[in-house]
Amino acid sequence: MSQKIRVDGQEIVFLEQDKTILNALDRADIESHYHCRDGFCGACRCKLVKGKISYPIEPIAYVSDGDILTCCSLPLTDIELDINNH
């Protein structure tokens, strides 16, 4: 995979070994909120500004339209996130 993730003016590349968007953010030292890393708590919820993601395993936490959980999602296309929106 070589999708790009744009957040807070930075652009990083999602690597296959990242497994989730949250791991890619962590690898790039981009601060984001999280707790469980499994889609249970919803603490990593952020706004998907542009692009498409998928959930290999559907999260248990409620996700409203336009939001994603970074801990259990991966990008299908280049994406842009607003992690300061929540």
Side-chain angles (χ1 to χ4, degrees), residues 13-65:
V13 174
F14 183 84
L15 305 174
E16 190 172 345
Q17 66 259 28
D18 289 329
K19 305 280 191 225
T20 67
I21 294 169
L22 179 59
N23 289 342
L25 297 174
D26 281 350
R27 177 179 47 80
D29 291 325
I30 296 173
E31 186 177 334
S32 62
H33 300 285
Y34 65 89
H35 289 290
C36 73
R37 289 190 174 266
D38 289 315
F40 296 120
C41 72
C44 65
R45 181 179 290 111
C46 70
K47 183 67 104 185
L48 178 64
V49 177
K50 187 175 7 176
K52 294 183 180 183
I53 60 101
S54 73
Y55 293 106
I57 298 172
E58 201 63 31
I60 292 174
Y62 174 76
V63 183
S64 58
D65 288 343

Side-chain angles (χ1 to χ4, degrees), residues 60-74:
I60 292 174
Y62 174 76
V63 183
S64 58
D65 288 343
D67 289 348
I68 67 165
L69 300 181
T70 60
C71 74
C72 56
S73 60
L74 53 92

